[in-house]
Amino acid sequence: MKFLTVVKRSPIVFPLACVAVTAMVFISEGSYWQSATTLNKLGAMAAVPVSIQDLQWSIRDAQAAKRAYVSSGDPAQLQALAEAERTVKASFKVLDEHYADAPGPRAVLQQMHVLSERNLAPMRDIRVLSAELLSHEVGNVARGRVDLRSEEH
């Protein structure tokens, strides 16, 4: 049978076919959006353990850079410390978003915030004071150069 003859004999077939196709499209789209949402949630859940590990390693890196800077005075260690602090902040951001609605883990995360801030804050103070001393010494060197030039002439 040809399609047109079926439609001509039974005028209800075409509207029912359209309704069936529309229903299938809505079911398919609903399933797609539901699976996409589920995959996004799973992706976010997978990012949490990675963020926890990044946090642990970054705090260790920050401590190592801090010790290296204090013992050697190497400014490259300040860059390593700054990078570790950026990673700590990024990790905390992911963890804060994930545990925003979970009171138990949220309390543990708050303790981690306090401990990491307590651990990293003294180094920031040292950097600020070191920069202040360094700018003072740069001024001393500049004055010394001016004094040397005035003595030469």
Side-chain angles (χ1 to χ4, degrees), residues 33-89:
W33 287 110
Q34 186 179 14
S35 65
T37 302
T38 302
L39 285 174
N40 286 339
K41 287 178 183 176
L42 287 173
M45 288 170 57
V48 171
V50 172
S51 294
I52 292 170
Q53 289 176 343
D54 283 348
L55 180 64
Q56 290 173 339
W57 285 105
S58 297
I59 288 174
R60 288 181 188 145
D61 290 345
Q63 290 171 340
K66 181 169 50 171
R67 285 191 300 271
Y69 178 72
V70 169
S71 66
S72 70
D74 182 14
Q77 298 304 323
L78 290 178
Q79 293 173 348
L81 179 63
E83 179 63 30
E85 286 179 344
R86 278 191 294 276
T87 306
V88 166
K89 286 180 185 177

Side-chain angles (χ1 to χ4, degrees), residues 123-133:
M123 193 59 211
R124 284 188 213 109
D125 295 341
I126 290 171
R127 279 190 290 167
V128 168
L129 294 173
S130 295
E132 194 175 310
L133 286 175

Side-chain angles (χ1 to χ4, degrees), residues 3 6 8-9 16-17 34 42 91 96 98 121 130 144:
F3 178 72
V6 171
K8 286 180 185 177
R9 281 191 216 156
L16 284 178
Q34 186 179 14
L42 287 173
S91 296
D96 286 338
H98 182 74
S130 295

Side-chain angles (χ1 to χ4, degrees), residues 118-146:
R118 198 180 303 158
N119 187 21
L120 297 176
M123 193 59 211
R124 284 188 213 109
D125 295 341
I126 290 171
R127 279 190 290 167
V128 168
L129 294 173
S130 295
E132 194 175 310
L133 286 175
L134 186 60
S135 67
H136 177 73
E137 289 306 311
V138 166
N140 284 344
V141 169
R143 282 190 297 278
R145 286 182 181 160
V146 168

